[in-house]
Amino acid sequence: MIERDVMEYDLVVVGAGPAGLATAIRYKQLNPEDSVCILEKASEIGAQILSGAVMEPKLLDTLLPEWRDNKPAICVEARKDRFAYLTKNKSIRLPTPPQQKNHGNFIVSLGSLCHWMGTKAEELEIDVFPGFSAADALFNEQNEVIGVRCGDMGVAKDGTEGPGYAPGVDIHAKFTVLSEGCRGSISKQLIKKYALDAGKSPQTYGLGFKELWQLPAGRTTAGNIQHTIGWPLDSATYGGSYMYQLDQDRLSIGFVTGLDYADPDFSPFEAFQQFKHHPQIKALLDGGEILSSGARTIIEGGLQSLPKQDMPGALLVGDSAGTINVVKIKGIHMAMGSGVLAAEHLSETKTTEGYDAKWRASNLNTELHKIRNIRPGFTKGLWRGLITAAIETVTFGKLPRTLENHSDHDSLNKLDGYQSPDYKWVDRDLPPRDRLASVYFASNEHDEDQPIHLKVTDTDLCVTKCTEEYGNPCTRFCPAGVYEIVEEEGNKRLQINSANCVHCKACDIKDPYQQINWVTPEGGSGPNYQNL
Amino acid sequence: MKIIACIKRVIDYNVRVQINREGNGVVTDGVKMSMNPFDEIAIEEGLRLKEKGIADELIVVSIGGSDSQQQLRTALAMGADRAILIENTDDLVPLGAAKLLLKVIEKEQPGLVILGKQAIDDDRNQTGQMLAALWNRPQATFASEIVVEGDTATVTREVDAGMETIEIDLPAVITTDLRLNEPRFVKMPDIMKAKKKPLDVIAADSLGADSAPAVGTSDYSPPPTRESGVIVESVDDLVNALKARGLV
Ligand SMILES: Cc1cc2nc3c(=O)[nH]c(=O)nc-3n(C[C@H](O)[C@H](O)[C@H](O)COP(=O)(O)OP(=O)(O)OC[C@H]3O[C@@H](n4cnc5c(N)ncnc54)[C@H](O)[C@@H]3O)c2cc1C
Ligand code: SF4
């Protein structure tokens, strides 16, 4: 038996994103005497956060009003909104949908905002532990969650104890709050164990890319915002771009594709790079340089797919559950909102029970109810989706109907007789050349001598059934080129370049056989995003 | 015996360093900072000497802004006993740093001072050597093995020709190379303990050392970008291409 240290807390929070930080900070504001800790798998708070991000400030204003006097590294007021439909060479302006209007909002780097919130948490004497991942939940005999086990450090690649081996600590707490963001690895286990998704629509996701650019002087106006739909995606695929102009000639540019795409040959990375070569966008980027880049999935199921958010001893908050308002692509205020609500619920009732009911009676629920039909409307293609969006918007979502979601892993067409659409993609010359060049801008760091953290159950299936049926889509959907099929002496096998993984979780979601399980690597491993 | 390990807060080694728009420094806003990796090795070696019973106290010292307390706390969590921050935000070159460190050394009277062989931000590789000279004590740089017995240390050094083993009298200054050891992971309960360990802050200008730099940096520029290559089909093409460029 490995001997583990045990640490006792009143509240343990897993994941220092906006949801987790808001939970811990609000809880400590209300209960200064209670002990609170936050675990974060990134080497620094904010280093594995990737978001657009246009933020609605009202929640941060109530939680930490001093933030306006002490703004994070990237923070500009939103100005003009532009919404456009792209064809291969043209950009056609569309009326900005009301959900996309951003007056009063701020363009931030969520990573640097979380970093700042982390320092505020420390000032409140919350124990903030960057570089420590929560690997598993802990249960008592009554099957209640009683805390989490941190990942071991210094385990060698073959699973044996390396020279610096340090077993992970067990954290026991009265309340455990999971705020791991989209597709959390412990949240996933708990949703299954407690059947929190019983009776809900299947969950659905998108994969978002982001690059931060330094442009030649004078091309941008700080605060200008553009969203596009259309090219390079065909009308059957859900997705679009965002472009936020920052100060100091910097630009946040990114692209989101629905992971319910059907073409097994499709590469979301390539779609983003193609978008950058649209004449309007390329003119903006030419001569600039990339400062950092990365990718992260977005949870898009909305209210239909939102699991029950409480279980004995633990809560799900933010995108661990899926509270994002996907139509606005705004999850930050919703994540903070659920964190604050969770903290208030725990302080008042001293139990996790009843939190889900409280959430559903709150205005957070109302916000998601209004827009519940818009994302599922797009499963029938772009044009049907836009019509649904228009109807749902003018009726404020009051029509007595709820469209269902469907899961992403079974949306791929089989190769058999399937003809991939001709995307008419262009030759590219803007950086990054390929996915490896892109990972370079994520400042990724995984000690090579550690077990592979992408657990594939049956690797034989990869080179037989999957090659035949889908042509190994993991080699295309992974934004970091982690999966490769290599041939040695006539034998094919799956090679997992796990050190490149940027923790986006797309493989865990999209693999058609659902046999990839993303688990936490050694604490502190993974991307070190700057200002994403 | 007391050991002093000196550490510096630097831009993390995973960060792609960028020159600022004014060209007079590098971007540090929103950039991850860490302990200089060679200094982590210095602390680890100090801890191992303590665990062997050779030293009874390990003190970590850093010079820098108040942010450097973060790295000192990490050192305390690794196991150092106490920390001293010489608070300074003025420009500093190795000679200035050595003069400031000397003041603390004179007060603490350690038997051994261990530093990283260089800091990865400016890669100067001078502070340890200058410190030994100012202190007028022996030095062993680029150590890959240290054996302390009584009043002497036998140090294996990584030199251009291979390995060199020297014996020095203590007190002395040793600077660490990469292969000396592999620093330990910080454990969570130790982070909590570190919060309660003593960390003294001393203002640099209260030490009475003249640490003002005698040299300055006028500007910064990135290395020229490499031109992209051409793939040639045959040896003849290669010869022609070289001739066309006037290279043969
Ligand atoms: C490309 C993109 C663009 C977006 N644009 C916007 C926008 O413009 N406006 C907006 O409001 N929202 C936007 N969002 C959504 C928004 O970023 C999310 O809704 C929000 O970040 C969710 O917050 P969270 O705290 O729930 O999770 P996250 O922000 O994902 O934070 C989770 C944290 O937990 C850590 N973690 C996970 N698992 C573990 C573990 N087991 N142990 C320890 N630590 C762990 C992670 O490293 C991370 O730091 C965007 C998202 C993406 C991907
Ligand atoms: S291996 Fe999976 S989680 Fe990692 S980058 Fe690739 S798709 Fe994302």
Side-chain angles (χ1 to χ4, degrees), chain A residues 15 17-19 40-41 51-54 110 134 180-181 298 319 329-332:
Chain A
E40 170 54 53
K41 65 179 162 67
S51 191
V54 181
L110 185 60
E180 302 175 283
I298 304 176
D319 284 347
I329 5 170
K330 287 205 181 67
I332 303 174

Side-chain angles (χ1 to χ4, degrees), chain A residues 326-398:
Chain A
V326 63
V327 173
K328 296 196 209 167
I329 5 170
K330 287 205 181 67
I332 303 174
H333 69 289
M334 297 295 289
M336 289 183 185
S338 27
V340 166
L341 193 69
E344 291 174 352
H345 175 79
L346 294 175
S347 312
E348 270 162 40
T349 64
K350 307 286 174 215
T351 165
T352 55
E353 213 183 304
Y355 169 68
D356 189 66
K358 195 169 277 176
W359 197 95
R360 291 188 199 260
S362 75
N363 52 13
L364 298 166
N365 187 81
T366 319
E367 176 164 347
L368 290 196
H369 184 77
K370 274 189 210 155
I371 52 129
R372 72 195 179 285
N373 286 331
I374 297 186
R375 171 66 182 95
F378 282 87
T379 51
K380 299 253 160 56
L382 176 63
W383 303 115
R384 293 275 291 276
L386 283 176
I387 293 166
T388 312
I391 296 171
E392 293 290 326
T393 304
V394 294
T395 57
F396 296 101
K398 289 211 171 94

Side-chain angles (χ1 to χ4, degrees), chain A residues 204-366:
Chain A
T204 174
Y205 301 84
L207 175 56
F209 289 83
K210 178 176 177 180
E211 289 172 1
L212 179 67
W213 279 68
Q214 181 73 58
L215 299 179
R219 283 193 194 163
T220 54
T221 308
N224 279 1
I225 291 173
Q226 172 172 297
H227 292 104
T228 69
I229 52 174
W231 198 84
L233 299 180
D234 62 344
S235 68
T237 310
Y238 181 74
S241 79
Y242 60 92
M243 216 160 67
Y244 306 144
Q245 305 189 4
L246 309 170
D247 53 353
Q248 300 173 25
D249 302 302
R250 291 177 296 184
L251 175 77
S252 283
I253 181 167
F255 200 86
V256 181
T257 308
L259 277 176
D260 57 350
Y261 68 81
D263 176 9
D265 245 355
F266 179 76
S267 156
F269 172 82
E270 187 57 32
F272 173 37
Q273 299 307 326
Q274 287 291 325
F275 156 74
K276 283 162 55 190
H277 286 74
H278 184 276
Q280 184 217 11
I281 315 297
K282 186 165 188 294
L284 192 65
L285 298 177
D286 249 332
E289 65 170 323
I290 302 180
L291 300 179
S292 53
S293 82
R296 180 81 170 98
T297 48
I298 304 176
I299 188 158
E300 296 188 336
L303 205 54
Q304 293 84 320
S305 306
L306 191 73
K308 183 165 184 250
Q309 297 162 84
D310 63 57
M311 66 207 96
L315 300 179
L316 300 174
V317 299
D319 284 347
S320 265
T323 55
I324 185 174
N325 176 333
V326 63
V327 173
K328 296 196 209 167
I329 5 170
K330 287 205 181 67
I332 303 174
H333 69 289
M334 297 295 289
M336 289 183 185
S338 27
V340 166
L341 193 69
E344 291 174 352
H345 175 79
L346 294 175
S347 312
E348 270 162 40
T349 64
K350 307 286 174 215
T351 165
T352 55
E353 213 183 304
Y355 169 68
D356 189 66
K358 195 169 277 176
W359 197 95
R360 291 188 199 260
S362 75
N363 52 13
L364 298 166
N365 187 81
T366 319

Side-chain angles (χ1 to χ4, degrees), chain A residues 454 477-480 482-483 500-508 518:
Chain A
L454 300 142
F477 59 62
C478 168
V482 167
Y483 300 98
N500 288 345
C501 174
V502 295
H503 301 190
C504 78
K505 320 268 177 91
C507 51
D508 196 297
W518 187 99

